[in-house]
Amino acid sequence: RYLRTLYLGLQSRWQAEHRRRHFYWRMMFESADISMLRLLEAFLKSAPQLVLQLSIMVQQNSIEPLQGLSASASLVSLAWMIASYQKVLRDSREDKMPMSYKGAVVQILWHLFTIAARAIAFALFASVFQLYFGIFIVTHWCIMTFWIIQGETDFCMSKWEEIIYNMVVGIIYIFCWFNVKEGRSRYRMCIYYIITLSENAALTILWFLYYDRKTTSDFDALILVCVVSSSFALGIFFMFIYYCLLHPNGPIFSHRSVGCIFRQHPPPAPGSPVEAVTSPPRSLPRTTGGEREGAPGERDCLPVFQVRPCAPPAPAARAPRTERPVIRIDLPRKKYPAWDAHFIDRRLRKTILALEYASPVTPRLQYRTPGAPQELLEYETTV
């Protein structure tokens, strides 16, 4: 994937002017995919390793240099990957304002301190209650997974792929907040951090009541409790700094709607032909019931993928124009790329190749525009 991203980046520099934008957005989508996979790898590998290392330090009441360096690297990698994915995801979306580097740094500090408080609380509790710690982790993971499923995310194309994705994100929710749904997330985030604060406080208090007085002094125990509380408070402080000063859409208390610089195109005038929009390919959500009904007479019940013939010939008064074959996808487009950024391209690859052999030109894809009877040419696919 890294080599593929490098290749697309070089092509975006070397190709002609009209082709650079196409390769640039494909490079951004590959970068978003890589960031997502690195994020999952970090929380599936580095996060459990961090808790294990911290728990051993608490039990032994000593920190070896290499052990402390490894734990610090794991903690920084977790915070770095969350902020990195958020920045790359915003950069790869045309409908979102890009995140500044100051915002990315503040996000790293936000997640660094909140994850540190969470991991230390886990390590303290696990050093005394190993079995109950495992029960707590499984219970928290199940609750978070069901909460994510209840939110009806639309990251994947099939139901079971979506459930597996929600289960993996539930592991991330054990340690920190991760937004997986479009729209305002402040209320969901507040609920999550209230739950996290309550759990951290309960785990730390239980450890403080039952820790081994022979290996850990009361002064050291009090310092660890202060570290957990102050680290979480610092994380929440940097979170407010980000949302109040450095959020790409502006302060959270501002009611103005911030648009994008060149994201939105004006709607076509009535009666004018719909021109092709050279926007990057994105993944598609499943069509909901309301979208499938549409306006009366808007469309008949057709299969999701339909290959229709070329348009009828132009009148004799106009110059004849060769129309390319069109693959009509009866779904609206998603607004963000993720794992399935090129899902439709992969599934339609054989059809596109077959049409290329049968037609002298490359076919193009059409997506349904929600709430409008006309169709919008979203992008042109090249093989």
Side-chain angles (χ1 to χ4, degrees):
R1 284 181 175 270
Y2 281 114
L3 293 176
R4 176 69 175 171
T5 305
L6 180 61
Y7 167 76
L8 294 174
L10 294 176
Q11 290 296 321
S12 67
R13 293 286 186 176
W14 294 342
Q15 291 291 332
E17 187 68 28
H18 66 282
R19 297 279 293 162
R20 288 181 180 178
R21 181 178 173 85
H22 172 78
F23 283 99
Y24 170 78
W25 284 111
R26 292 179 64 186
M27 177 194 69
M28 294 304 300
F29 290 162
E30 290 290 343
S31 299
D33 292 346
I34 290 174
S35 297
M36 169 58 78
L37 294 177
R38 288 171 55 196
L39 177 67
L40 298 180
E41 178 191 12
F43 277 92
L44 292 174
K45 183 175 67 176
S46 298
Q49 190 74 12
L50 174 63
V51 175
L52 177 62
Q53 291 171 348
L54 292 176
S55 179
I56 294 174
M57 294 177 191
V58 172
Q59 286 181 340
Q60 296 179 350
N61 198 20
S62 63
I63 302 176
E64 298 180 1
L66 185 60
Q67 194 177 33
L69 181 62
S70 176
S72 301
S74 299
L75 178 60
V76 172
S77 67
L78 295 173
W80 177 277
M81 283 316 307
I82 285 282
S84 173
Y85 176 71
Q86 294 294 334
K87 178 169 176 54
V88 172
L89 186 62
R90 278 191 164 271
D91 292 342
S92 63
R93 291 183 54 170
E94 280 195 322
D95 62 322
K96 291 290 186 180
M97 296 292 291
M99 182 189 299
S100 64
Y101 286 99
K102 292 181 180 179
V105 171
V106 173
Q107 259 211 18
I108 291 175
L109 296 175
W110 160 20
H111 294 294
L112 179 71
F113 287 109
T114 53
I115 295 175
R118 189 75 166 160
I120 295 174
F122 284 169
L124 294 176
F125 187 77
S127 64
V128 179
F129 306 98
Q130 289 87 0
L131 177 61
Y132 292 105
F133 174 72
I135 296 174
F136 164 76
I137 289 295
V138 172
T139 304
H140 180 87
W141 172 72
C142 291
I143 293 174
M144 291 294 106
T145 301
F146 283 119
W147 187 32
I148 299 170
I149 294 175
Q150 190 68 21
E152 297 181 352
T153 60
D154 57 352
F155 197 81
C156 302
M157 297 299 294
S158 68
K159 175 183 177 181
W160 292 108
E161 288 177 350
E162 195 72 36
I163 292 177
I164 294 175
Y165 166 73
N166 293 334
M167 293 171 64
V168 175
V169 175
I171 299 176
I172 300 179
Y173 270 50
I174 295 176
F175 295 92
C176 72
W177 164 259
F178 180 64
N179 190 24
V180 293
K181 189 173 176 59
E182 284 289 316
R184 293 180 178 271
S185 59
R186 66 182 68 175
Y187 299 111
R188 300 194 301 270
M189 186 169 59
C190 289
I191 294 173
Y192 175 82
Y193 277 116
I194 290 174
I195 295 174
T196 301
L197 177 61
S198 304
E199 291 177 348
N200 289 352
L203 296 177
T204 307
I205 291 174
L206 287 173
W207 171 82
F208 188 78
L209 294 177
Y210 294 98
Y211 74 92
D212 189 3
R213 266 70 179 178
K214 297 179 181 179
T215 58
T216 306
S217 63
D218 294 339
F219 180 74
D220 292 339
L222 186 61
I223 290 179
L224 289 174
V225 173
C226 293
V227 167
V228 173
S229 57
S230 60
S231 179
F232 188 82
L234 277 174
I236 298 300
F237 170 75
F238 282 111
M239 181 189 72
F240 277 107
I241 292 294
Y242 172 76
Y243 279 104
C244 294
L245 299 178
L246 299 173
H247 195 276
N249 292 342
I252 59 175
F253 301 107
S254 175
H255 296 286
R256 62 188 179 90
S257 177
V258 181
C260 301
I261 300 176
F262 58 92
R263 308 302 204 235
Q264 301 294 335
H265 298 273
S272 62
V274 181
E275 297 295 335
V277 180
T278 57
S279 58
R282 305 190 191 111
S283 53
L284 305 177
R286 296 182 295 275
T287 306
T288 59
E291 291 174 344
R292 288 187 181 276
E293 293 176 2
E298 179 178 339
R299 63 178 181 88
D300 300 326
C301 293
L302 298 174
V304 173
F305 302 107
Q306 176 190 13
V307 180
R308 68 182 184 188
C310 301
R318 298 182 180 180
R321 184 179 61 176
T322 304
E323 288 285 348
R324 290 180 293 175
V326 175
I327 300 177
R328 180 183 179 186
I329 302 178
D330 193 20
L331 288 173
R333 276 176 61 184
K334 275 186 180 178
K335 293 184 178 180
Y336 59 93
W339 284 344
D340 56 337
H342 313 293
F343 187 90
I344 296 300
D345 281 337
R346 294 193 189 104
R347 295 301 184 270
L348 294 178
R349 186 66 62 191
K350 293 183 179 180
T351 305
I352 295 173
L353 289 174
L355 288 175
E356 275 199 330
Y357 285 117
S359 174
V361 290
T362 303
R364 63 172 182 261
L365 300 185
Q366 279 188 345
Y367 294 93
R368 178 166 60 83
T369 305
Q374 69 270 16
E375 294 173 352
L376 182 65
L377 305 183
E378 294 289 355
Y379 74 99
E380 299 177 0
T381 300
T382 58
V383 183

